[in-house]
Amino acid sequence: QVQLVESGGGSVQAGGSLRLSCTVSGYTYSSDCMGWFRQAPGKGREGVAIIYSRNGVNGIPHYTDSVKGRFTASQDIARNTLWLQMNSLKPEDTAMYYCAAASTTGNCAYFLTNAGAIYYWGQGAQVAVSS
């Protein structure tokens, strides 16, 4: 069965950096979407970054506007690993961060605003940014 396991997270001051990692097993990357989402208290899950890959080839990430230029998502399909490098962190970035996987015949960007349609999730990693 499909399993995603996250590591990383922590507490930093504004302007600092954190790096999250996610390993995935039991899932085919071909024609798949892999990405990162976050959820602040009292809010729904927000798409952060999505990577669209085909035929086992590492894809190019797409980001929500609020993190562009600050966050970098990447993957190594051969190692079954996904990363999120977060730089210039702001207090509003404070949330639980989840890695996720889904498949679609359409555009992976759909999932950035439709987290409820995601099939598989990691356990989450807490990120806290103080001012």
Side-chain angles (χ1 to χ4, degrees):
Q1 46 186 358
V2 176
Q3 185 174 5
L4 294 85
V5 180
E6 289 186 340
S7 62
S11 300
V12 298
Q13 293 188 3
S17 298
L18 286 172
R19 181 179 174 91
L20 304 178
S21 299
C22 175
T23 58
V24 58
S25 62
Y27 192 81
T28 302
Y29 275 80
S30 298
S31 302
D32 291 328
C33 311
M34 299 289 297
W36 294 92
F37 294 73
R38 64 187 180 184
Q39 186 169 18
K43 298 182 179 180
R45 291 191 181 185
E46 173 191 17
V48 176
I50 283 285
I51 302 176
Y52 182 69
S53 61
R54 290 281 191 181
N55 301 316
V57 178
N58 295 330
I60 299 173
H62 298 272
Y63 305 94
T64 190
D65 288 343
S66 63
V67 307
K68 287 181 178 177
R70 300 188 298 118
F71 291 10
T72 302
S74 58
Q75 68 179 162
D76 187 339
I77 294 177
R79 292 185 173 184
N80 299 321
T81 304
L82 186 72
W83 295 275
L84 182 67
Q85 178 68 45
M86 301 179 289
N87 298 325
S88 301
L89 283 162
K90 304 175 180 179
E92 52 262 42
D93 294 319
T94 296
M96 285 288 292
Y97 283 72
Y98 302 86
C99 61
S103 62
T104 182
T105 57
N107 194 327
C108 289
Y110 166 84
F111 294 109
L112 284 174
T113 55
N114 292 275
I118 297 291
Y119 298 151
Y120 306 108
W121 296 94
Q123 81 282 3
Q126 180 66 52
V127 172
V129 184
S130 60
S131 60

